[in-house]
């Protein structure tokens, strides 16, 4: 029995944001084997933005206003320097599953920020109760992974990952105030290129240029970078925008608790990263917290304009 084309497209699009974004942590780990972190992400943003620019130009997208450009630059710094750049730097030292779980706290940070800023769309008291298991889960993982003796993850790396999650969350809150006159695709291109420029400066300042030796770059690292750029940045983002126009944003946001599960499983299968019972327990609490927060806020989000911004998208 053949699936209707609409059903097939929905399944394919959800598969893209579930699997591709869940597998980017593995791809990043492979790319980092012979490429320095900040220049790696700079190249990803630059080339990914160029591919999307070609599509935008072909579709006749309008150039951004000055105000849109300003918001795009600010969000690009928060998204791709404060989040992706820090993530790449830390993932040189921590398991991919741990990184994915810490980044899965983004919806929790957003809820806390919306509440602290007393936004009209802030979560209800019921939704906020789901912050508790998430905080407990993060504390459990930090205590177990940071206090395990030899080979343990440094607390500073856990805090940096939480800081990366917070940076993306602040960028999300800022992006919600940006003008809606520019298309989401154009805004994303601005963000990518602003991030690429800043990441290149950071990488150069840290001496990463001298670490790039073409003869020492492995095929596996190139494949990881290409997957991050084409699949993670272009294909999955296109699927994300399309889904936001077809189903409710809350349903689309389910990938935020599916991605860490995929990341942990892939890290276990391909990198021999075996999660401890404590890490698995903490991850379960974080996933429970995120899923509860999303679904109890579904009515509020469904009333918001379907503007396809990169609200929770950590690709």
């Amino acid at each position: 029995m053949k699936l209707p084309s609409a059903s097939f497209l929905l399944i394919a699009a959800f598969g893209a944001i579930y699997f591709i974004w869940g597998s980017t942590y593995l791809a990043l780990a492979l790319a980092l084997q012979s490429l320095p972190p900040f220049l790696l992400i700079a190249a990803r943003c630059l080339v990914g933005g160029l591919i999307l620019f070609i599509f935008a130009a072909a579709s006749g997208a309008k150039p951004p206003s000055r105000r849109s450009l300003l918001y795009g630059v600010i969000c690009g710094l928060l998204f791709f320097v404060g989040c992706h750049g820090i993530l790449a730097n830390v993932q040189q030292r921590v398991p991919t599953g741990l990184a994915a779980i810490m980044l899965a706290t983004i919806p929790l940070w957003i809820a806390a920020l919306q509440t602290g800023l007393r936004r009209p769309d802030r979560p209800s008291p019921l939704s906020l109760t789901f912050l508790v298991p998430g905080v407990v889960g993060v504390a459990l993982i930090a205590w177990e992974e940071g206090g395990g003796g030899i080979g343990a993850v440094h607390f500073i790396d856990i805090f940096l990952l939480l800081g990366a999650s917070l940076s993306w969350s602040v960028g999300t809150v800022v992006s919600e105030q940006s003008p809606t006159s520019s298309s989401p695709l154009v805004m994303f291109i601005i963000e990518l290129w602003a991030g690429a420029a800043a990441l290149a400066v950071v990488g150069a300042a840290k001496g990463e240029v001298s670490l790039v030796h073409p003869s020492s770059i492995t095929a596996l690292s190139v494949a990881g970078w290409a997957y991050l750029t084409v699949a993670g940045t272009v294909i999955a983002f296109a699927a994300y925008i399309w889904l936001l126009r077809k189903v409710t944003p809350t349903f689309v946001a389910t990938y935020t608790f599916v991605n860490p599960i995929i990341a942990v499983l892939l890290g276990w299968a391909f990198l021999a990263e075996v999660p401890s019972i404590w890490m698995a327990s903490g991850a379960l609490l974080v996933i429970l917290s995120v899923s509860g927060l999303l679904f109890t806020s579904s009515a509020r989000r469904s009333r918001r304009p379907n503007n396809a911004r990169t609200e929770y998208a950590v690709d």
Side-chain angles (χ1 to χ4, degrees), residues 60-282:
K62 296 180 180 179
S65 64
R66 289 185 180 179
R67 190 160 176 260
S68 296
L69 188 62
L70 175 61
Y71 272 92
V73 170
I74 293 172
C75 292
L77 297 178
L78 290 166
F79 289 153
F80 298 108
V81 182
C83 182
H84 279 267
I86 296 301
L87 170 64
N89 180 266
V90 174
Q91 208 176 303
Q92 297 176 109
R93 303 179 293 276
V94 305
T96 57
L98 175 62
I101 293 165
M102 292 298 103
L103 269 291
T105 62
I106 285 174
L108 310 184
W109 283 116
I110 291 175
L113 289 169
Q114 289 173 331
T115 302
L117 296 172
R118 301 190 64 81
R119 296 277 298 277
D121 57 350
R122 61 184 179 274
S124 66
L126 175 61
S127 296
L128 291 176
T129 61
F130 281 98
L131 293 177
V132 176
V135 172
V136 173
V138 168
L140 185 63
I141 293 171
W143 181 262
E144 168 62 20
E145 296 296 319
I150 297 174
V153 174
H154 292 294
F155 280 117
I156 185 62
D157 285 332
I158 294 175
F159 290 137
L160 284 171
L161 287 172
L162 290 173
S165 178
L166 175 60
S167 181
W168 190 281
S169 304
V170 173
T172 296
V173 173
V174 172
S175 71
E176 291 173 345
Q177 308 304 310
S178 63
T180 57
S181 54
S182 296
S183 73
L185 178 58
V186 170
M187 292 299 294
F188 190 47
I189 293 168
I190 296 169
E191 292 160 5
L192 283 167
W193 281 350
L199 285 162
V201 171
V202 173
K206 291 179 66 64
E208 288 188 356
V209 176
S210 63
L211 300 177
V212 179
H213 304 290
S215 60
S216 64
I217 298 175
T218 66
L220 204 56
S221 286
V222 173
W225 171 83
Y227 184 85
L228 287 170
T229 303
V230 178
T233 303
V234 178
I235 297 175
F237 181 73
Y240 176 72
I241 292 179
W242 184 83
L243 280 171
L244 284 174
R245 293 171 179 167
K246 299 297 180 180
V247 298
T248 64
T250 300
F251 193 21
V252 178
T254 54
Y255 78 86
T256 56
F257 52 87
V258 175
N259 287 172
I261 297 173
I262 292 175
V264 169
L265 291 175
L266 290 176
W268 178 39
F270 293 99
L271 301 176
E273 298 174 353
V274 181
S276 67
I277 186 64
W278 295 107
M279 180 175 166
S281 300

Side-chain angles (χ1 to χ4, degrees), residues 35-47:
L35 292 170
F38 291 104
L39 292 185
L40 163 65
I41 303 300
R44 176 196 178 184
C45 291
L46 178 63
V47 177

